[in-house]
Amino acid sequence: MKPIGLIATAAVAIGASRFAFRARLPDDYDSIGFVRALDRFDLTQFQPHFPGYPVFIALGRIAHAAIPSALDSATVISALASAITAAALWLVTCKLASDGAAWITMGLYAGAFLPWYLGGAALSDATAGALAMVTFLALLERNLFLSGVLVGLMLGVRASYFPLALSWGALVILFRRDQLALALGGAVLGIVGWLVPFLWIVGGLNTLLELGRVHVRGHFSTWGGAVTTRPALGLRLFSFARDLLFDGLAPRLWAVLALAAGSLTALFKPGLPSAPSRSARIVTLVLVLPYGLWALFGQNVIDQPRHLLPLVLLLMIGMGLLLSRVKWLGLAAVAVTLVASFPIARAHAQTKSAAAQAADYVVANYPNKDVAVFGGRAVRTFHQLTAVPAYERTWLSEVDVTLERLDVLPDHVLITSEVETDRRRLKKVQSRAKFCREAALDRAQPCLEISEYSILGSAR
C-alpha cells in the first residue's frame, strides 16, 4: 500500500521550497511578459509572446484574483506544479520499480537545480512539466481518457512540448491501441477546452495564425536560437549536455562527476539484473528521441537550459531506477544534488538579474530627465523597473539615428553591452559599470555592462 500521506507531505515540502526561493523580480524578458499578461493579456506586446500559453495564464489569473502581486501569482502556480510533479514522479517510479526507487527519484527532484529554479520562476515550464508527468502517469494507470485530456492541457501550457504529445500518441498506439479512440477523444476535449476561449480572446483564428507566422519566422530566422540561427553543432551538443547534467541536476562540476561515478558503480555492480527488456528500451526511445531532437535542433539550448526540463525529469526517473540497486548510492546522489544546488537556488531569491542591477545603478546615478538608455532585451527590464527613457537598439548607428529624432538631447547617453559598437565610434564609448550574477541563473545574459556614449567627442 502506498504511503499517500508521506508522499503528499514530501511533495508539499518540495513545492514550499520552490516558493521560498522564488524570484523576487522577473528573471528575464519572457518572465516579464508572463507577469504583465496576468494584468493585461496582449500577444502583440509579447504579454506573453506567441503561442500565448493560455492555460498557464488562466491559472495565473486565478491565483492573481487572491494574490495582489502578479509575480507572486505566477510563481505560486510554478511552485504548486512542482509539488504535483514530485508526487507524480514518485508514483511513476514506484509503478515502474519500487518504493525505494521512487523515494530516490523524488529526492533527486527535490535537490536538482533546474526544477528548483523553474519551480520559483514566472515561467510556464514547471506547469507544463507537471502536466507531462501526470499525463504519462494516467497512461501507466490505463486511464486513457484522462491521459488524453491532460496531454491536451499540456499543449495549452507549452505548445513547444508537442514532441511529448507525439510520444504519448505513439505509446498509445503501441500498447493501448484498443483504447486509441478514447485517448484521442480526451486529447481533443483538452485542446478544445482552452483553444475556443483563446481564439475568442485573441480575435479569431486568422489573427492567431498571422501572429504565429511572424513568430515562427523570427524564431527560425533571427532570434530563436534554433539550429537555423545558431548552427554550431559542437556548441549545441556541449550545451545540450551541460543543460541536462550540469544545470539540470547539479550545477557544480564535482557534483556531476560524483553523480556519474555513483551511477556507473550501480550499473556495473555484480549480481544485478542485466539489460532492460525490449519493451522498456522501446518506451525509453519513444519518450526521449522526439523531444531530444527537437530541443537540440529547434530550441535555444545554448542560452536556455529550461528547454531540457522534460529530459531532466526522465533522467531522474532513470537514475532512481538505477541507484535503487545500491541504496547508499541513491542517498548519496540526493545529498550531492542538494548540496550543489542549494546555494544557487538561494541566490535566485537574493540576487537580482544583471539587467535589474544595471537598472538600479542608472536610477541611483543619473537623474531620469537627464539620461537615456539604449540596449537589447535588457531594455524590457528598464521599462519594468524604472521610469528611465529606454530604447531597444542593438547597433550604435541606430542609437545615433534615434538621438537625431529626439526633441531634446539627454545629458547622458548610456548603452548596454548588447549594443554593437563600430570602430569609428568606439572612442566615444566609456565603460561605467558591469553587473553579473551566477551564470546558471541566466545563461543568456549572466553579465551586463553599462557604458556612456558621448555623441560630441571622446567620452569623459
Side-chain angles (χ1 to χ4, degrees):
M1 185 175 179
K2 296 182 180 67
I4 299 299
L6 190 57
I7 297 168
T9 300
V12 169
I14 290 170
S17 74
R18 286 13 179 183
F19 191 70
F21 290 88
R22 71 192 182 279
R24 269 37 176 204
L25 291 172
D27 289 297
D28 56 17
Y29 189 97
D30 290 344
S31 295
I32 292 172
F34 281 117
V35 170
R36 289 181 175 179
L38 298 192
D39 289 316
R40 183 172 178 269
F41 185 90
D42 189 346
L43 288 181
T44 63
Q45 298 299 314
F46 303 99
Q47 296 177 202
H49 58 282
F50 183 89
Y53 311 87
V55 174
F56 178 74
I57 298 301
L59 293 171
R61 286 200 161 191
I62 291 170
H64 197 20
I67 301 172
S69 165
L71 175 61
D72 285 348
S73 300
T75 54
V76 79
I77 296 301
S78 294
L80 288 171
S82 295
I84 293 169
T85 302
L89 280 169
W90 195 100
L91 294 169
V92 167
T93 310
C94 182
K95 187 81 173 177
L96 296 174
S98 64
D99 284 20
W103 286 118
I104 291 170
T105 297
M106 183 185 265
L108 290 170
Y109 179 75
F113 173 69
L114 186 63
W116 202 339
Y117 165 74
L118 292 174
L123 294 165
S124 64
D125 302 78
T127 305
L131 281 166
M133 285 309 307
V134 293
T135 290
F136 290 104
L137 174 61
L139 184 59
L140 274 174
E141 297 289 349
R142 303 189 181 188
N143 191 333
L144 274 294
F145 181 77
L146 176 60
S147 185
V149 171
L150 292 168
V151 81
L153 292 174
M154 179 192 73
L155 293 173
V157 175
R158 282 194 72 80
S160 62
Y161 278 17
F162 73 89
L164 296 178
L166 297 178
S167 296
W168 170 84
L171 292 176
V172 171
I173 292 170
L174 285 171
F175 300 104
R176 298 285 182 267
R177 187 175 300 179
D178 58 322
Q179 298 184 63
L180 178 60
L182 188 64
L184 292 179
V188 169
L189 180 62
I191 292 171
V192 170
W194 59 262
L195 183 58
V196 171
F198 181 52
L199 288 174
W200 179 75
I201 290 169
V202 300
L205 180 60
N206 289 337
T207 300
L208 184 63
L209 290 176
E210 177 59 23
L211 288 168
R213 183 186 64 81
V214 172
H215 179 87
V216 170
R217 183 176 61 188
H219 178 88
F220 287 104
S221 65
T222 309
W223 46 261
V227 71
T228 50
T229 61
R230 303 181 74 175
L233 183 58
L235 178 59
R236 299 191 75 84
L237 289 170
F238 168 80
S239 300
F240 187 95
R242 179 205 64 198
D243 296 351
L244 184 64
L245 301 174
F246 191 82
D247 292 329
L249 289 179
R252 291 289 183 261
L253 181 58
W254 65 264
V256 173
L257 293 176
L259 290 172
S263 299
L264 288 172
T265 301
L267 181 63
F268 293 109
K269 188 177 186 299
L272 291 174
S274 56
S277 67
R278 182 174 178 272
S279 293
R281 293 196 300 271
I282 291 173
V283 169
T284 301
L285 188 66
V286 169
L287 285 174
V288 171
L289 192 60
Y291 190 84
L293 291 174
W294 162 243
L296 177 61
F297 295 110
Q299 296 281 52
N300 187 5
V301 293
I302 297 172
D303 294 331
Q304 298 289 354
R306 60 191 177 90
H307 292 305
L308 261 68
L309 178 63
L311 301 184
V312 172
L313 298 179
L314 293 173
L315 176 62
M316 286 188 289
I317 293 173
M319 291 180 66
L321 300 178
L322 179 62
L323 293 169
S324 64
R325 296 172 167 184
V326 186
K327 295 295 193 297
W328 70 269
L329 282 176
L331 294 175
V334 171
V336 164
T337 57
L338 182 60
V339 170
S341 300
F342 178 81
I344 306 177
R346 181 175 58 187
H348 184 216
Q350 296 178 345
T351 308
K352 294 180 179 180
S353 68
Q357 294 177 55
D360 287 348
Y361 168 83
V362 172
V363 169
N365 289 276
Y366 299 88
N368 286 357
K369 64 181 180 180
D370 293 328
V371 67
V373 177
F374 296 85
R377 292 169 71 88
V379 164
R380 197 175 209 191
T381 299
F382 279 83
H383 290 160
Q384 183 75 6
L385 302 180
T386 77
V388 174
Y391 307 87
E392 191 166 339
R393 305 287 187 271
T394 54
W395 291 88
L396 202 50
S397 57
E398 294 176 328
V399 174
D400 282 344
V401 171
T402 303
L403 291 172
E404 290 172 359
R405 294 173 178 172
L406 296 180
D407 293 332
V408 179
L409 285 176
D411 291 342
H412 302 279
V413 177
L414 303 180
I415 62 172
T416 74
S417 47
E418 301 160 306
V419 177
E420 293 285 341
T421 304
D422 58 88
R423 186 174 300 177
R424 182 171 65 86
R425 295 177 175 86
L426 185 60
K427 64 182 180 180
K428 299 181 179 183
V429 177
Q430 180 65 49
S431 175
R432 295 301 184 212
K434 186 175 183 178
F435 307 94
C436 297
R437 74 168 176 175
E438 173 68 47
L441 293 170
D442 191 350
R443 289 289 173 195
Q445 197 174 68
C447 293
L448 188 73
E449 188 172 0
I450 292 289
S451 298
E452 187 156 357
Y453 174 47
S454 174
I455 59 175
L456 300 178
S458 299
R460 296 185 298 273

